[in-house]
Amino acid sequence: DQQVKQNSPSLSVQEGRISILNCDYTNSMFDYFLWYKKYPAEGPTFLISISSIKDKNEDGRFTVFLNKSAKHLSLHIVPSQPGDSAVYFCAASLTGTASKLTFGTGTRLQVTL
Amino acid sequence: SQTIHQWPATLVQPVGSPLSLECTVEGTSNPNLYWYRQAAGRGLQLLFYSVGIGQISSEVPQNLSASRPQDRQFILSSKKLLLSDSGFYLCAWSAPLGFGYTFGSGTRLTVV
């Protein structure tokens, strides 16, 4: 049972344009959401997060939007840069569960010149 | 500052051989520790987590086991590897009441 889903396995965007990565979840009890970025043969690194009490969080070129009623979150990267090419994982957490994260299957972003 | 070390970086093992992957964390006390696996074409699957010494929770039945002999040491083991154990193994830590993980650099395991 995949509680966190990233339905687009890959995405290609031109440099300078906006990248939008999507994530859906099924468990309405999730209350904290994170995005991680992963390069090949490396561990994922934290990118940005959002609490369920908010609907938007922005950090430089990265913005995460949360739509609780739709159980949907998205990551916007603008402008996209070649160095953004990586696999992006969304993750969700339940309060009081030893901060365990449930990850999506990932979306591979390719930013082209 | 906190750091996490995971080794080895790559490993090629024959079917039926034992496995031991080690992960250590520095600069923090009583971390939550996690082992994840990323199989080819799949997401990150939680294998084990630990909230303290000797406390191990298994998320999925499998051919692997985990141990936490010291506060900041987490070990992933197998007595006999299967081909299906191949994958990219990641160790991670989090603060006891914090959100989000810091991951190690991963181990690429190929069982042949």
Side-chain angles (χ1 to χ4, degrees):
Chain A
D1 177 31
Q2 190 71 30
Q3 296 189 67
V4 179
K5 302 177 184 179
Q6 294 175 256
N7 293 317
S8 298
S10 63
L11 175 68
S12 183
V13 173
Q14 269 191 325
E15 182 180 12
R17 301 288 186 109
I18 183 171
S19 296
I20 300 177
L21 295 92
N22 294 304
C23 179
D24 297 293
Y25 60 95
T26 57
N27 190 339
S28 58
M29 299 299 290
F30 285 139
D31 56 5
Y32 200 75
F33 303 89
L34 307 91
W35 284 94
Y36 282 81
K37 175 180 179 180
K38 184 183 181 300
Y39 293 115
E42 294 183 9
T45 55
F46 170 73
L47 197 55
I48 193 170
S49 63
I50 188 167
S51 165
S52 60
I53 63 173
K54 295 186 174 183
D55 55 18
K56 177 183 176 181
N57 188 27
E58 191 172 353
D59 183 2
R61 297 186 297 114
F62 302 92
T63 303
V64 56
F65 295 92
L66 176 63
N67 182 333
K68 290 188 290 293
S69 61
K71 297 191 183 69
H72 177 82
L73 66 156
S74 60
L75 174 68
H76 293 209
I77 307 173
V78 55
S80 301
Q81 299 174 353
D84 297 329
S85 298
V87 176
Y88 290 79
F89 290 97
C90 66
S93 178
L94 286 166
T95 301
T97 56
S99 65
K100 286 191 297 177
L101 294 180
T102 300
F103 284 87
T105 50
T107 296
R108 181 176 302 277
L109 173 66
Q110 181 72 39
V111 179
T112 58
L113 297 174
Chain B
S1 64
Q2 302 92 355
T3 56
I4 180 168
H5 303 280
Q6 186 181 343
W7 67 92
T10 59
L11 193 58
V12 180
Q13 292 284 95
V15 169
S17 64
L19 172 74
S20 181
L21 302 181
E22 189 163 344
C23 172
T24 59
V25 180
E26 296 177 358
T28 186
S29 296
N30 196 31
N32 292 338
L33 296 172
Y34 311 85
W35 279 110
Y36 276 81
R37 176 172 61 199
Q38 182 186 16
R42 301 184 65 181
L44 299 174
Q45 182 185 35
L46 178 62
L47 302 176
F48 300 96
Y49 71 94
S50 171
V51 299
I53 296 175
Q55 298 180 43
I56 308 293
S57 296
S58 175
E59 288 292 296
V60 293
Q62 60 209 314
N63 184 43
L64 303 167
S65 62
S67 62
R68 184 170 178 173
Q70 300 180 45
D71 181 44
R72 289 168 287 179
Q73 183 185 27
F74 206 23
I75 298 172
L76 183 70
S77 304
S78 174
K79 292 182 179 178
K80 290 185 178 182
L81 284 169
L82 306 172
L83 287 174
S84 58
D85 292 324
S86 294
F88 191 59
Y89 289 83
L90 290 157
C91 180
W93 77 272
S94 70
L97 297 178
F99 291 100
Y101 299 169
T102 299
F103 282 91
S105 54
T107 296
R108 170 71 59 193
L109 172 66
T110 304
V111 182
V112 295

